Amino acid sequence: MNIENPFLISGYINPSYFCNRQAETNRIISALQNRRNLTLLSIRRLGKTGLIKHVFHLLKDTDYRLLYLDIFATNSLQDFVRVLSSAILLDEKKHSTDYLKKLSKLIARIKARLVLDNITGNPSIELSYTNYQEAEMGIEQI
């Protein structure tokens, strides 16, 4: 892909469009390899998501299963479970040959139903929890 403007303001293309940040990239990869928790914290629009997607790109051919969640808009545990399960579904679709079997087991366990996005066709989960304990159990099941 050849892009004329080198100053991208959204999305991640590839390492040739990613400027510097080698020290931060190395720290994140080291944390992942050594199973350390890591928190990225800064004000908005300073490239945290781009940095994460850059690390994901560098680690795409490894044994890691990398999952990106944007939980900014989640307001409850139920919202979080929905976002998490949808992200897992999309990731599993990419990596699994028995995707549908795993999908049906997941849906049965977490009181959910599969919904296909009308525009993209991507699957997502619609949850029907009645209380907080059911949502907590949903996270354990996922």
Side-chain angles (χ1 to χ4, degrees), residues 49-63:
T49 300
L51 180 59
I52 291 168
K53 292 191 177 187
H54 179 64
V55 169
F56 278 24
H57 178 81
L58 296 176
L59 298 176
K60 70 180 178 192
D61 295 326
T62 64
D63 291 335

Side-chain angles (χ1 to χ4, degrees), residues 28-95:
I28 293 171
I29 291 173
S30 174
L32 288 171
Q33 291 171 335
N34 292 291
R35 295 177 179 238
R36 290 190 318 261
N37 293 329
L38 181 73
T39 302
L40 298 181
L41 182 64
S42 77
I43 60 175
R44 291 181 41 101
R45 308 295 304 162
L46 287 183
K48 297 176 296 293
T49 300
L51 180 59
I52 291 168
K53 292 191 177 187
H54 179 64
V55 169
F56 278 24
H57 178 81
L58 296 176
L59 298 176
K60 70 180 178 192
D61 295 326
T62 64
D63 291 335
Y64 292 108
R65 290 289 293 265
L66 304 166
L67 193 64
Y68 177 80
L69 298 176
D70 184 354
I71 61 169
F72 183 73
T74 59
N75 294 315
S76 65
L77 181 59
Q78 289 87 345
D79 287 348
F80 175 76
V81 172
R82 180 185 46 76
V83 169
L84 176 62
S85 57
S86 293
I88 290 172
L89 279 176
L90 289 174
D91 185 64
E92 191 63 32
K93 184 178 175 183
K94 289 184 230 171
H95 292 96

